[in-house]
Structure formats: structure tokens, C-alpha cells
Amino acid sequence: MSQSLVLLKPDAVRRGLIGRILQRLEDTGLRIRNIKMYDPPDYCHILKHYESTDEWLFNVGKKTIEDFVSAGLTLEEVKRDYGVTDEMGIGRVVKNRLIEYLTSGTVVAVIVEGNMAIEKVRLMIGHTIPAMAAPGSIRGDYGTDNAAFAAASKRSIENLIHASDSPETAEKEIDLWFGSGC
Ligand code: ADP
Ligand code: MG
């Protein structure tokens, strides 16, 4: 038995998808152990949630460049939209946009429990970029956003849901949203 921390992001709440997304998680046999609404969350929670190690910043930047290339765009266009072309620099820009996105409205924090909960929920949410997320996944079924489209409006990718990616992050995130807080 394990627990995962899920966040329903402001776009999921605005679009009225709370019930449908939680239903999909429950349909698998996973159980909802706790729910808390942050209306909206403060900066401190988001900063602590995305601690943004160098590795995280680099990977976010790398995924962004890959997404631009797969959309047929060039580094010139990356430069136009982010002001920089290196992975770490892009990662930092994304981080700021992410803070704006997640403090822009209501976020619902949920503890989901069950066998293989962390792995199962990650599989269910799908790829970070909704345009690349498989049909049948939550991000794939309810969105088509991608890095280039989001960057043109200087905003974060909106992808409805967050889920813990390891036992260590799950423990840390559950403590942040349901325990000692900020
Ligand atoms: P995941 O949420 O799939 O674990 P990450 O931890 O890499 O993905 O990224 C955290 C969040 O940052 C994403 O869910 C998304 O909202 C946002 N994000 C990631 N990459 C970009 C990008 N290139 N441009 C804008 N926002 C992004
Ligand atoms: Mg992540």
C-alpha cells in the first residue's frame, strides 16, 4: 500500500473537472484518503512543492527544447519566447510561469492510496505535455497544450494535474500540503 499526492491544478478546477478526474482515479480501486482545497495556494507552497534542483531545471529545459523541435520550431523561436536557449535558463523561466499558473486559482490537494498508487497515478496522468500525452490518459483526454503554444502567450503549460513521481517526493509533498505546511 502506498500514497501519492495529487494536485488538481487551476485549469482543472475552472473547467469543472474535479469530479471526473477523481472518479477516474477511484474507478481503478485507488482510494481518496484526504482532500483539501487551497483557494488559491500561496507562493510558499508552490516554491516548496517545486524545489527545482539543477537536475529539475535542466530536464524541464530539455523537454521544452525537444517539444519545440518536434513542433518544427527553431532555437531562434525558443530565444524569442524564453529570452534564452540554454536548458537551465529555460528551466528558470518555466519555473516562474509555473508559480503564476498555480497561484492563479483554486488548487485541490488529494492523497490517493492503494497498491502501486504512485506508479499507477503517473501512468494514468500521462506525458507532461498534453499534446504528447496518449489518448486514454487524463492529460491526453482533456487537453492539447504544448510548450510552444504556451510560450507564445508567455504562460506555463496547463496540464490539469500533478502527481508524485517517487516515494520520496510523495512523502515530502504529503507533508507539505497536509502536514507541517509552509
Ligand atoms: P510533470 O508534472 O509531468 O511531473 P515536470 O515536473 O517536468 O512535469 O514539470 C512540472 C510542471 O511544469 C508541468 O506539469 C507543467 O505544468 C510545467 N511545465 C513543464 N515544462 C514546461 C514548459 N516547457 N513550458 C511551460 N510549462 C512547463
Ligand atoms: Mg514533476
Short mmCIF file of all heavy atoms in Angstrom, two decimals, residues 9 50 56 60 63-64 82 94 98 101 122 128 139 147 155-157 159 161-162, ligand 1:
data_model
loop_
_atom_site.label_atom_id
_atom_site.label_comp_id
_atom_site.label_asym_id
_atom_site.label_seq_id
_atom_site.Cartn_x
_atom_site.Cartn_y
_atom_site.Cartn_z
N LYS A 9 -4.96 21.14 -10.70
CA LYS A 9 -4.46 22.49 -10.93
C LYS A 9 -5.61 23.44 -11.30
O LYS A 9 -6.72 22.99 -11.61
CB LYS A 9 -3.39 22.44 -12.03
CG LYS A 9 -2.18 21.55 -11.64
CD LYS A 9 -1.13 21.54 -12.75
CE LYS A 9 0.09 20.72 -12.36
NZ LYS A 9 1.12 20.71 -13.45
N TYR A 50 7.79 22.73 -5.89
CA TYR A 50 8.77 22.60 -6.98
C TYR A 50 10.09 23.18 -6.49
O TYR A 50 10.39 24.33 -6.76
CB TYR A 50 8.28 23.35 -8.22
CG TYR A 50 7.09 22.69 -8.89
CD1 TYR A 50 5.83 23.26 -8.81
CD2 TYR A 50 7.23 21.49 -9.59
CE1 TYR A 50 4.73 22.65 -9.43
CE2 TYR A 50 6.14 20.88 -10.19
CZ TYR A 50 4.90 21.46 -10.11
OH TYR A 50 3.81 20.86 -10.70
N TRP A 56 16.21 19.20 -12.03
CA TRP A 56 14.82 19.50 -12.44
C TRP A 56 14.81 20.62 -13.48
O TRP A 56 14.16 20.52 -14.52
CB TRP A 56 13.98 19.88 -11.22
CG TRP A 56 12.52 20.09 -11.52
CD1 TRP A 56 11.54 19.13 -11.54
CD2 TRP A 56 11.87 21.33 -11.86
NE1 TRP A 56 10.32 19.71 -11.86
CE2 TRP A 56 10.49 21.05 -12.07
CE3 TRP A 56 12.31 22.64 -12.02
CZ2 TRP A 56 9.55 22.03 -12.42
CZ3 TRP A 56 11.38 23.62 -12.38
CH2 TRP A 56 10.02 23.31 -12.56
N VAL A 60 13.50 20.15 -17.34
CA VAL A 60 12.38 20.94 -17.84
C VAL A 60 12.81 21.69 -19.10
O VAL A 60 12.10 21.73 -20.11
CB VAL A 60 11.85 21.91 -16.75
CG1 VAL A 60 10.91 22.93 -17.35
CG2 VAL A 60 11.13 21.12 -15.66
N LYS A 63 13.14 19.15 -22.01
CA LYS A 63 11.82 18.76 -22.54
C LYS A 63 11.24 19.87 -23.42
O LYS A 63 10.60 19.62 -24.44
CB LYS A 63 10.84 18.49 -21.39
CG LYS A 63 10.66 17.02 -21.04
CD LYS A 63 9.44 16.79 -20.15
CE LYS A 63 9.76 16.78 -18.68
NZ LYS A 63 8.63 16.41 -17.81
N THR A 64 11.48 21.13 -23.00
CA THR A 64 10.95 22.26 -23.76
C THR A 64 11.60 22.35 -25.13
O THR A 64 10.91 22.52 -26.15
CB THR A 64 11.20 23.58 -22.98
OG1 THR A 64 10.62 23.45 -21.69
CG2 THR A 64 10.61 24.78 -23.70
N TYR A 82 11.54 32.61 -24.72
CA TYR A 82 12.10 32.45 -23.36
C TYR A 82 13.22 33.44 -23.06
O TYR A 82 13.64 33.56 -21.92
CB TYR A 82 12.63 31.02 -23.15
CG TYR A 82 11.52 29.98 -23.13
CD1 TYR A 82 11.14 29.33 -24.29
CD2 TYR A 82 10.85 29.67 -21.95
CE1 TYR A 82 10.10 28.40 -24.29
CE2 TYR A 82 9.82 28.74 -21.95
CZ TYR A 82 9.46 28.11 -23.12
OH TYR A 82 8.44 27.20 -23.10
N VAL A 94 10.48 28.79 -16.99
CA VAL A 94 9.31 27.92 -16.81
C VAL A 94 8.88 27.93 -15.35
O VAL A 94 7.69 28.02 -15.04
CB VAL A 94 9.62 26.47 -17.27
CG1 VAL A 94 8.53 25.50 -16.83
CG2 VAL A 94 9.78 26.42 -18.79
N LEU A 98 5.27 28.77 -13.93
CA LEU A 98 4.58 27.72 -13.17
C LEU A 98 4.01 28.29 -11.87
O LEU A 98 2.87 27.98 -11.48
CB LEU A 98 5.61 26.63 -12.87
CG LEU A 98 5.17 25.28 -12.34
CD1 LEU A 98 4.04 24.71 -13.16
CD2 LEU A 98 6.37 24.33 -12.35
N TYR A 101 0.93 30.29 -12.73
CA TYR A 101 -0.17 29.37 -13.10
C TYR A 101 -0.82 28.78 -11.85
O TYR A 101 -2.04 28.83 -11.67
CB TYR A 101 0.42 28.30 -14.01
CG TYR A 101 -0.35 27.03 -14.28
CD1 TYR A 101 -1.74 27.02 -14.45
CD2 TYR A 101 0.34 25.82 -14.44
CE1 TYR A 101 -2.40 25.83 -14.75
CE2 TYR A 101 -0.31 24.64 -14.74
CZ TYR A 101 -1.69 24.64 -14.89
OH TYR A 101 -2.33 23.46 -15.18
N ARG A 122 0.82 8.01 -11.97
CA ARG A 122 1.68 8.61 -13.01
C ARG A 122 1.31 8.06 -14.38
O ARG A 122 1.24 8.81 -15.36
CB ARG A 122 3.18 8.32 -12.74
CG ARG A 122 3.86 9.15 -11.67
CD ARG A 122 3.85 10.64 -11.89
NE ARG A 122 4.55 11.13 -13.06
CZ ARG A 122 4.91 12.40 -13.23
NH1 ARG A 122 4.65 13.33 -12.30
NH2 ARG A 122 5.52 12.79 -14.32
N THR A 128 3.86 14.87 -19.58
CA THR A 128 3.78 16.26 -19.07
C THR A 128 3.08 17.19 -20.06
O THR A 128 2.32 18.07 -19.67
CB THR A 128 5.21 16.80 -18.83
OG1 THR A 128 5.86 15.94 -17.91
CG2 THR A 128 5.19 18.23 -18.32
N ARG A 139 -4.28 13.65 -18.98
CA ARG A 139 -3.81 14.83 -19.73
C ARG A 139 -4.12 14.71 -21.21
O ARG A 139 -4.42 15.70 -21.88
CB ARG A 139 -2.31 15.02 -19.50
CG ARG A 139 -1.98 15.54 -18.09
CD ARG A 139 -0.51 15.41 -17.79
NE ARG A 139 -0.09 16.12 -16.58
CZ ARG A 139 1.11 16.01 -16.02
NH1 ARG A 139 2.02 15.19 -16.56
NH2 ARG A 139 1.42 16.69 -14.94
N ALA A 147 4.45 23.14 -25.26
CA ALA A 147 5.38 24.18 -24.82
C ALA A 147 5.33 25.40 -25.74
O ALA A 147 5.26 26.54 -25.27
CB ALA A 147 6.79 23.62 -24.73
N ARG A 155 3.05 31.84 -20.92
CA ARG A 155 2.45 31.19 -19.76
C ARG A 155 2.96 29.76 -19.64
O ARG A 155 3.59 29.23 -20.56
CB ARG A 155 0.92 31.19 -19.87
CG ARG A 155 0.39 30.48 -21.11
CD ARG A 155 -1.11 30.25 -21.07
NE ARG A 155 -1.55 29.62 -22.31
CZ ARG A 155 -1.42 28.33 -22.60
NH1 ARG A 155 -0.86 27.49 -21.74
NH2 ARG A 155 -1.84 27.83 -23.76
N SER A 156 2.68 29.14 -18.50
CA SER A 156 3.06 27.75 -18.27
C SER A 156 2.20 26.82 -19.13
O SER A 156 1.09 27.18 -19.52
CB SER A 156 2.83 27.41 -16.80
OG SER A 156 2.91 26.03 -16.58
N ILE A 157 2.71 25.63 -19.38
CA ILE A 157 1.85 24.59 -19.96
C ILE A 157 0.76 24.28 -18.94
O ILE A 157 1.04 24.10 -17.76
CB ILE A 157 2.67 23.30 -20.22
CG1 ILE A 157 3.62 23.52 -21.39
CG2 ILE A 157 1.75 22.12 -20.47
CD1 ILE A 157 4.53 22.34 -21.64
N ASN A 159 -1.73 21.62 -17.70
CA ASN A 159 -1.91 20.17 -17.89
C ASN A 159 -2.71 19.52 -16.77
O ASN A 159 -2.54 18.33 -16.49
CB ASN A 159 -0.56 19.48 -18.10
CG ASN A 159 0.39 19.73 -16.95
OD1 ASN A 159 0.01 20.31 -15.94
ND2 ASN A 159 1.61 19.27 -17.08
N ILE A 161 -3.16 18.43 -13.89
CA ILE A 161 -2.94 17.58 -12.72
C ILE A 161 -1.45 17.36 -12.45
O ILE A 161 -0.65 17.29 -13.38
CB ILE A 161 -3.68 16.22 -12.92
CG1 ILE A 161 -3.57 15.29 -11.72
CG2 ILE A 161 -3.24 15.53 -14.20
CD1 ILE A 161 -4.53 14.09 -11.75
N HIS A 162 -1.11 17.30 -11.17
CA HIS A 162 0.23 16.89 -10.74
C HIS A 162 0.10 15.58 -9.98
O HIS A 162 -0.90 15.38 -9.29
CB HIS A 162 0.84 17.95 -9.80
CG HIS A 162 1.95 17.38 -8.97
ND1 HIS A 162 3.25 17.31 -9.41
CD2 HIS A 162 1.95 16.79 -7.73
CE1 HIS A 162 4.00 16.72 -8.48
NE2 HIS A 162 3.23 16.40 -7.46
P1 ADP B 1 5.31 16.56 -14.50
O1 ADP B 1 4.20 17.46 -14.00
O2 ADP B 1 4.82 15.66 -15.60
O3 ADP B 1 6.00 15.80 -13.40
P2 ADP B 1 7.61 18.37 -14.61
O4 ADP B 1 7.84 18.05 -13.16
O5 ADP B 1 8.77 18.21 -15.55
O6 ADP B 1 6.38 17.51 -15.20
O7 ADP B 1 7.11 19.88 -14.78
C1 ADP B 1 6.30 20.49 -13.81
C2 ADP B 1 5.24 21.35 -14.48
O8 ADP B 1 5.85 22.47 -15.14
C3 ADP B 1 4.44 20.66 -15.57
O9 ADP B 1 3.41 19.84 -15.06
C4 ADP B 1 3.93 21.83 -16.39
O10 ADP B 1 2.75 22.41 -15.79
C5 ADP B 1 5.07 22.84 -16.27
N1 ADP B 1 5.97 22.78 -17.44
C6 ADP B 1 6.87 21.82 -17.70
N2 ADP B 1 7.55 22.09 -18.83
C7 ADP B 1 7.10 23.28 -19.27
C8 ADP B 1 7.40 24.13 -20.39
N3 ADP B 1 8.31 23.83 -21.27
N4 ADP B 1 6.73 25.28 -20.54
C9 ADP B 1 5.80 25.61 -19.66
N5 ADP B 1 5.46 24.88 -18.58
C10 ADP B 1 6.09 23.71 -18.39
#
